[in-house]
Amino acid sequence: MWLFGETMPHVTVARPAQTQVIRHQLPTGRHTGKPIWYAPAAVIGDVTGAAVPVYLAFALAGGTHAAACAIVAAAAWLLVRGARDRYGERRLGERHNVGPALQDWLVLVGLLAVVRAATGEESPFLLALAALVPCAPTSAVVQTLIHRHLATRRRDGRTVRRALVIGEANAVDGLVSHLAKRTDHEFVVVGVCPVGDEDPHALAPVATRIGRQAPPRLSADSSPVLAAARRLYADVVLVVPGPYMSGTRLRRLSWALHGEECPLVVVPGLTEVAGRRVGVVSVAGLTMLTVAPPLRRGLATLLKSVTDRLGAALLIVLLAPVFVAVALAVRMDSPGPAVHRQTRIGRGGKPFTMAKFRTMVADAERLRHQLAGTNEQDGRMFKIRRDPRITRVGRVLRRCSLDELPQLFNVVRGHMSLVGPRPPLPDEAAGYDEVERRRLAVKPGLTGLWQVSGRSDLSWDETVALDLRYVDNWSPSGDLGVLCRTVGAVVAGRGAY
């Protein structure tokens, strides 16, 4: 968050994870946009990811048209990506998951299948399909690198849009505070125009004040707002609707701002709702915001269930030697069973028995009550960074997440999913409030957003927010992204204790 005046000093911003982020001085003048090399880099990455594997595959197979096939594949890939607006400035670097690349790859395969049938191409189908496989991961890697570069620039106060906020004092405070907590977005508040006489507590200065009642003349609202936007070099105006900001008043204000080519963004107050669930419709001249319900049934959920069970069964077979080795190590390290069984709460509040490799001494549950005063978590979870109950082998297993492997049997039995919220203990779930209970709307997961975002290093509020984001916005592509990120989280071991 900035403190703005005629000159803007460096400011230190407190973020949720208790880290300190310094944004450098924000330049005045219009928003300069993202670096111009983003689009060429994305195009070059897509061409390379399509052309090189196709050329090598067909050349090694003795094909006579390897170069032509590579050119066609690259051109088709660029056509698909361009048609879906993957190179537009507004989208480049904003997302880093594999979902969009995977969706585009499926379209590419369908398009080239049509071209293959139309031209009578007789190359082996499996060879052609295998040659196209690197397209999606290459594009995803390039987009991830661009996203990380963009995130770094925004933490330094660059590649951002200067925003002027309009609304009632409480609404303005909420929006400014919410934007100030994170640096992964494009807006930096440079001033506010409160509606009414109350003063907002936001750190941004009050640029001008607007009366509560709609004025008889358009200029009574638009003139002070336009003057503030010019003085603060605002790139965009954010409006929080309320009782004193009616639709007619908002429409008239938009006329004045659009006359100055300054965009207007209406902030409805929804949080953590995926863009794919939100739509805008016009009914009888009224603009309405629609929010689709989360996916809970249908083909996508059936596919998730089948994939969970088949994937878990396959992993059990492939990792059988690891299961044996870990079980022997646990038994040799300390007395007690190799597998620890514990009651957890699943979907809809239904209890189930979850299995894990034992990482603590055999009477750990009894000792927990003696350590209640040393809990380092700020919520309902019990976590101690250096828990004296953890065995030597247990620390290694937790660091590598190998203690979670027996949960694959829970996935096969349908108690859990490969991806989902963390399964709570009964005493934790018993203390849930209405918001926290929503975590139980889906099956708990072997991994999830909590596991790939810091695990035990996160606060309770951050844990709940991540789980609710998953519950409300679940999608197959989102699960795939979490599974890919799980590999990096396991290797890094951050928050695993």
Side-chain angles (χ1 to χ4, degrees), residues 88-151:
E89 182 187 14
R90 299 295 303 153
R91 304 191 93 182
L92 280 171
E94 299 297 341
R95 300 180 65 182
H96 66 285
N97 57 32
V98 300
L102 181 59
Q103 295 168 13
D104 294 348
W105 185 82
L106 294 175
V107 175
L108 172 69
V109 172
L111 176 62
L112 291 182
V114 173
V115 172
R116 176 187 175 90
T119 58
E121 170 66 32
E122 297 181 352
S123 59
F125 173 76
L126 292 180
L127 173 66
L129 185 62
L132 294 174
V133 168
C135 291
T138 301
S139 295
V141 168
V142 173
Q143 289 294 332
T144 298
L145 294 176
I146 293 176
H147 173 79
R148 290 181 178 178
H149 183 268
L150 179 61

Side-chain angles (χ1 to χ4, degrees), residues 241-254 286:
Y244 304 109
M245 184 57 69
S246 64
T248 301
R249 193 178 188 185
L250 182 61
R251 184 187 184 198
R252 292 181 176 181
L253 182 59
S254 72
L286 298 174

Side-chain angles (χ1 to χ4, degrees), residues 275-400:
R276 60 179 173 78
R277 293 178 54 207
V278 179
V280 178
V281 297
S282 182
V283 178
L286 298 174
T287 301
M288 300 182 181
L289 190 68
T290 65
V291 181
L295 289 173
R296 289 290 186 269
R297 57 178 61 88
L299 182 60
T301 54
L302 176 61
L303 178 63
K304 176 181 175 67
S305 179
V306 172
T307 303
D308 282 340
R309 298 195 181 201
L310 290 181
L314 179 61
L315 287 173
I316 290 173
V317 173
L318 294 177
L319 298 176
V322 178
F323 276 83
V324 174
V326 172
L328 290 175
V330 172
R331 290 296 302 272
M332 294 174 64
D333 181 56
S334 63
V339 176
H340 175 65
R341 291 174 175 83
Q342 192 176 48
T343 299
R344 296 289 179 117
I345 303 300
R347 182 177 181 178
K350 184 178 180 180
F352 69 97
T353 301
M354 188 186 76
K356 296 179 64 175
F357 281 122
R358 183 173 57 83
T359 59
M360 294 184 175
V361 294
D363 57 345
E365 293 295 331
R366 181 182 60 82
L367 295 175
R368 175 183 171 179
H369 300 288
Q370 302 176 11
L371 299 171
T374 61
N375 186 17
E376 297 178 8
Q377 271 286 341
D378 59 350
R380 309 190 190 283
M381 290 189 298
F382 181 82
K383 286 288 184 179
I384 306 175
R385 188 174 296 273
R386 297 190 179 278
D387 196 321
R389 301 173 298 166
I390 299 178
T391 63
R392 292 172 299 175
V393 169
R395 293 195 183 279
V396 176
L397 296 182
R398 290 188 173 215
R399 174 65 174 74
C400 302

Side-chain angles (χ1 to χ4, degrees), residues 71-256:
I71 292 174
V72 171
W77 188 226
L78 291 180
L79 176 64
V80 171
R81 301 278 288 172
R84 297 170 70 86
D85 195 29
R86 305 305 186 194
Y87 305 124
E89 182 187 14
R90 299 295 303 153
R91 304 191 93 182
L92 280 171
E94 299 297 341
R95 300 180 65 182
H96 66 285
N97 57 32
V98 300
L102 181 59
Q103 295 168 13
D104 294 348
W105 185 82
L106 294 175
V107 175
L108 172 69
V109 172
L111 176 62
L112 291 182
V114 173
V115 172
R116 176 187 175 90
T119 58
E121 170 66 32
E122 297 181 352
S123 59
F125 173 76
L126 292 180
L127 173 66
L129 185 62
L132 294 174
V133 168
C135 291
T138 301
S139 295
V141 168
V142 173
Q143 289 294 332
T144 298
L145 294 176
I146 293 176
H147 173 79
R148 290 181 178 178
H149 183 268
L150 179 61
T152 300
R153 289 178 63 87
R154 284 178 174 166
R155 280 196 295 269
D156 292 337
R158 296 177 292 171
T159 319
V160 293
R161 304 174 75 190
R162 302 166 62 90
L164 177 66
V165 180
I166 302 176
E168 296 169 47
N170 290 336
V172 166
D173 285 334
L175 177 59
V176 173
S177 299
H178 188 82
L179 293 177
K181 291 176 182 177
R182 296 169 60 170
T183 60
D184 58 349
H185 56 84
E186 59 181 324
F187 296 121
V188 171
V189 178
V190 295
V192 300
C193 294
V195 178
D197 300 326
E198 294 183 9
D199 287 324
H201 297 90
L203 295 179
V206 176
T208 187
R209 194 177 299 277
I210 302 175
R212 291 193 174 190
Q213 302 302 322
R217 293 177 294 105
L218 172 63
S219 59
D221 268 352
S222 61
S223 295
V225 172
L226 289 176
R230 294 190 193 105
R231 180 165 58 88
L232 298 172
Y233 301 97
D235 298 300
V236 63
V237 172
L238 307 182
V239 178
V240 186
Y244 304 109
M245 184 57 69
S246 64
T248 301
R249 193 178 188 185
L250 182 61
R251 184 187 184 198
R252 292 181 176 181
L253 182 59
S254 72
W255 290 344

Side-chain angles (χ1 to χ4, degrees), residues 383 385 394-404 447 450-458 484-497:
K383 286 288 184 179
R385 188 174 296 273
R395 293 195 183 279
V396 176
L397 296 182
R398 290 188 173 215
R399 174 65 174 74
C400 302
S401 298
L402 292 176
D403 59 316
E404 313 285 353
T447 184
W450 179 76
Q451 287 87 339
V452 302
S453 302
R455 289 186 271 190
S456 300
D457 286 342
L458 299 176
C484 293
R485 292 171 60 189
T486 298
V487 178
V490 170
V491 172
R494 186 168 66 91
Y497 55 86

